Amino acid sequence: MELVDMYFIQDKISTKKIYNSSKPIILILDSGIGGISIYTEIQKKFPNINYIYVFDNAGFPYGNKHEIFIIKRIFNIFKQISSKYSISLAIIACNTASIISLIKLRKHYIFPIIGLVPAIECSISRTRNGIVGLLATCNTIRSAYIRQLILQYSNKYKIITISSNRLVNISESKFIGKKIFLEEIHYVIKPWLNLLEIPDTIVLGCTHFISLRDELQQIFPKNTCLIDFNKDILYRINQILNYKFHRAKSSEENIVFCTCINSKAIQISLLLKRLGFTVFKKLVLT
Ligand code: DGL
């Protein structure tokens, strides 16, 4: 996934904070567990930060929902979190939500917001046979943003797509330790495997798919390159944090929010505890 360029707009909403921390707080948001792979990478590089991870399990999955529904939820989450915490940086670790809401969010909030989008440009520079496969959600693939990118490269490269909500669910199942079947993943990507010329570079254009990398690598021919997200994100985060906080250390606890408490959310929260999220709460949306 690639980083959408960051910009700041003046006259944005200012909010009164209940918990005003002098420490940097990074908010990471996804519909489910997809953003965890992104969190893990970021946390390795920036361990002394407070992390708030929100998984909108009441709105899950985003991939097949109406655009207005997703925008409303993301705005609602941002409103609730930013009214309680001083967010230093927000990362939308969800391609579907980024494509739909990033520009609108940046017009409303003063803190920097990074969004992940499918790493098409990275894959174009890597492909050897000129065929790139984009694996993402329905909303991502039919977005104007992706259609425009496909058109832009169409005279030199072939970008073919598969949208799958099934893979999103398989990824969630894998995370909570349920048995997943390679045949099911194979079935989703079969249309590409039957082609005369198979894409040699695959963009994992949904953060959920990053956790299925090993399974996908087993199914595709050995030399297939799987591209998850653009590591420039780490460089950007560094720039933002160094500029604003000069490597501030934090002792606050990392918090995970869900939007609906059920047995799966509790299972996820227990797994997230091992990843450093010691507090688990429900985020009430208005
Ligand atoms: N993880 C999200 C993405 O990157 C989508 C999953 C969903 O459909 O909710 O697009």
Side-chain angles (χ1 to χ4, degrees), residues 44-242:
K44 258 191 259 162
K45 186 112 178 127
F46 308 100
N48 298 313
I49 302 288
N50 277 149
Y51 291 93
I52 296 178
Y53 187 83
V54 178
F55 65 100
D56 182 15
N57 56 332
F60 173 88
Y62 283 173
N64 55 5
K65 299 273 164 55
H66 196 278
E67 194 170 306
I68 309 279
F69 171 88
I70 299 168
I71 291 179
K72 275 189 181 162
R73 291 200 75 84
I74 302 286
F75 266 85
N76 207 333
I77 292 168
F78 264 66
K79 186 176 144 202
Q80 300 305 326
I81 297 287
S82 65
S83 66
K84 296 181 181 70
Y85 303 94
S86 291
I87 302 300
S88 319
L89 165 67
I91 298 168
I92 306 177
C94 171
N95 296 260
T96 314
S98 292
I99 288 174
I100 293 174
S101 64
L102 189 62
I103 292 174
K104 292 183 177 70
L105 282 167
R106 284 173 173 165
K107 287 182 182 162
H108 279 83
Y109 289 94
I110 194 106
F111 50 78
I113 306 172
I114 289 175
L116 294 161
V117 292
I120 306 278
E121 269 134 31
C122 271
S123 58
I124 288 293
S125 63
R126 299 282 286 274
T127 179
R128 290 144 286 145
N129 70 358
I131 310 175
V132 166
L134 168 63
L135 204 51
T137 65
C138 297
N139 276 334
T140 297
I141 284 177
R142 63 172 174 228
S143 66
Y145 174 80
I146 291 297
R147 279 188 283 128
Q148 173 55 38
L149 273 176
I150 293 177
L151 191 69
Q152 187 183 321
Y153 290 108
S154 60
N155 56 346
K156 277 195 169 170
Y157 302 92
K158 198 168 164 187
I159 302 177
I160 56 177
T161 61
I162 287 181
S163 64
S164 174
N165 287 317
R166 183 73 202 116
L167 283 190
V168 174
N169 285 311
I170 296 176
S171 159
E172 293 259 323
S173 298
K174 182 180 174 182
F175 189 79
I176 57 170
K178 280 196 186 159
K179 187 165 168 50
I180 60 162
F181 298 94
L182 216 54
E183 299 74 48
E184 258 198 281
I185 302 175
H186 188 277
Y187 181 79
V188 173
I189 57 171
K190 205 168 154 196
W192 287 345
L193 302 174
N194 288 338
L195 293 172
L196 279 180
E197 215 181 352
I198 298 177
D200 68 358
T201 309
I202 310 290
V203 182
L204 305 181
C206 167
T207 49
H208 275 77
F209 302 164
I210 301 173
S211 66
L212 299 176
R213 173 180 261 283
D214 291 348
E215 289 79 2
L216 289 163
Q217 201 76 72
Q218 282 179 57
I219 297 170
F220 282 111
K222 272 208 160 41
N223 59 354
T224 308
C225 175
L226 301 183
I227 311 246
D228 44 36
F229 72 98
N230 190 334
K231 304 298 181 288
D232 281 359
I233 190 174
L234 302 171
Y235 173 73
R236 287 295 185 91
I237 296 171
N238 197 28
Q239 270 186 326
I240 294 167
L241 297 178
N242 274 342

